[in-house]
Amino acid sequence: MVKVKVPATTANLGPGFDTMGMALNMYNTVEMDFHHSLDITISGVGMNDIDTDETNIVYQAAKMVFDKAGQECKGLRMHLHNEIPVARGLGSSAAAVVGGVVAANNLLGSPLNEQQLAELVTEIEGHPDNVLPALIGGIVIAGWGKEHLLYHKIKPGAQLQAIVAIPEFFLATKKAREVLPTQVSFQDALFNVNRASLVVSSLLTENYELLSEVMEDRLHQPYRSDLIPGMNALIERTKQVGAIGVVLSGAGPTMLALTIDNSDAVAATMQQVFTEYGIRCTVRRLVPIMTGAEVVL
Ligand SMILES: Nc1ncnc2c1ncn2[C@@H]1O[C@H](COP(=O)(O)OP(=O)(O)OP(=O)(O)O)[C@@H](O)[C@H]1O
Ligand SMILES: N[C@@H](CCO)C(=O)O
């Protein structure tokens, strides 16, 4: 039996749509063992929102490792314990995919190396920005090259905190991608190239004064704001009380504020603004982490 612990992730970091993400200290665990049939049990959050049959994505991801390794999968016994809320923008599907792939790879004696795991989880999820930090931790910038996935990991600054306001309602990534345009203007593309580059350089140099001016986006957030009541007001007011950057976490509806200090005021303001817009939410204070999925048993 193997047990794998996988972190939550926040994707995009504002302008880095489908490209950047960061691992956070909130975890799901996957326990997995060989079995003659499929037997899935679940505990923790979202127990009633996750399938326990062959459509379960932890199982589907695990089965792909068996296929790649040329091994028959007769069944699996799995217990999933979840802390990451489902369909809220904190990488629940990425954690499920990474948990399934890493647990199965371990069970089979590690036939796939890190590069192969990174490519497999990206193919399954469709984009690398949640699955890569879930797999290897840290802040990761990633994208497909001609043949291979290219990725680079940055160490988050030690002072950086991540406050997340998690609304009670679900927003499936599929739905939040349906509102995106098929084309954008040259000016908006240029704006995001500029801002994403400045986000990376300010994270690398821990220049939070610069970071506070550049976590802006024109490729996805403007189109998604109608799906998240209060999003723009929350960004504006949370920045006024000292957050470095305030952005949509992944596809939403969770909002992410990066802070160094002023965390109490930032957390209270996020809660307050969502409440004013009639949205019940849970605010959690998290920190970026350098460790991705790890085998704990
Ligand atoms: N622990 C889990 N085990 C199995 N399947 C899960 C688990 N958590 C989430 N899922 C599946 O993933 C779906 C949610 O994925 P979705 O991409 O919409 O949201 P998300 O990954 O939480 O958000 P984001 O990608 O914006 O961070 C759920 O509907 C469920 O099918
Ligand atoms: N980059 C993705 C993250 C969510 O899976 C999006 O914003 O749609």
Side-chain angles (χ1 to χ4, degrees):
M1 197 268 273
V2 292
K3 184 173 180 180
V4 173
K5 183 178 164 192
V6 193
T9 47
T10 180
N12 301 326
L13 300 179
F17 181 74
D18 275 5
T19 301
M20 293 181 213
M22 178 164 74
L24 299 170
N25 66 331
M26 177 194 275
Y27 301 92
N28 284 359
T29 57
V30 174
E31 288 172 63
M32 187 183 286
D33 205 353
F34 297 107
H35 201 54
H36 55 80
S37 61
L38 183 60
D39 177 0
I40 304 177
T41 52
I42 304 182
S43 58
V45 303
M47 280 170 60
N48 302 323
D49 307 315
I50 296 167
D51 299 320
T52 52
D53 58 16
E54 294 202 347
T55 63
N56 181 285
I57 57 178
V58 181
Y59 169 70
Q60 290 193 344
K63 198 165 172 302
M64 290 189 78
V65 177
F66 278 73
D67 292 346
K68 283 217 178 266
Q71 302 276 339
E72 191 192 353
C73 181
K74 295 199 184 88
L76 286 172
R77 194 206 308 267
M78 301 198 297
H79 180 71
L80 314 177
H81 181 74
N82 301 326
E83 196 191 345
I84 305 169
V86 175
R88 302 300 211 296
L90 287 166
S92 71
S93 59
V97 168
V98 169
V101 162
V102 171
N105 194 47
N106 216 269
L107 215 50
L108 295 174
S110 302
L112 305 185
N113 62 27
E114 182 187 288
Q115 180 74 35
Q116 291 169 313
L117 291 173
E119 291 178 3
L120 178 58
V121 294
T122 303
E123 276 160 19
I124 299 171
E125 179 79 351
H127 37 87
D129 47 342
N130 287 109
V131 282
L132 258 289
L135 181 68
I136 64 171
I139 298 167
V140 184
I141 302 149
W144 284 107
K146 281 206 183 80
E147 289 175 15
H148 293 294
L149 188 78
L150 311 171
Y151 59 95
H152 180 74
K153 175 173 167 179
I154 301 176
K155 187 171 189 244
Q159 299 162 286
L160 213 52
Q161 294 172 47
I163 319 276
V164 289
I166 310 167
E168 227 178 31
F169 68 92
F170 297 100
L171 177 53
T173 298
K174 188 171 178 294
K175 187 175 169 201
R177 289 177 88 86
E178 279 167 6
V179 301
L180 301 180
T182 50
Q183 294 195 319
V184 296
S185 70
F186 191 80
Q187 286 92 332
D188 286 353
L190 174 63
F191 181 89
N192 266 58
V193 169
N194 179 281
R195 292 299 188 271
S197 308
L198 287 165
V199 165
V200 173
S201 52
S202 53
L203 285 168
L204 277 169
T205 55
E206 297 181 35
N207 182 343
Y208 299 124
E209 214 175 300
L210 177 60
L211 187 61
S212 73
E213 300 202 46
V214 297
M215 287 187 82
E216 298 173 302
D217 163 77
R218 289 194 191 163
L219 294 187
H220 68 108
Q221 291 191 178
Y223 304 101
R224 289 172 163 169
S225 63
D226 284 350
L227 300 173
I228 300 117
M231 181 184 108
N232 290 329
L234 186 145
I235 292 174
E236 201 181 312
R237 284 173 51 192
T238 309
K239 285 215 61 172
Q240 280 166 6
V241 296
I244 295 170
V246 190
V247 292
L248 194 59
S249 179
T254 291
M255 297 299 298
L256 164 79
L258 294 182
T259 63
I260 294 293
D261 38 34
N262 305 313
S263 301
D264 289 345
V266 166
T269 303
M270 294 172 99
Q271 182 98 56
Q272 172 69 26
V273 177
F274 265 146
T275 304
E276 284 171 19
Y277 279 81
I279 306 292
R280 273 209 288 262
C281 74
T282 306
V283 176
R284 289 202 49 183
R285 294 160 186 235
L286 304 173
V287 288
I289 49 159
M290 268 301 270
T291 308
E294 57 180 340
V295 177
V296 289
L297 207 70

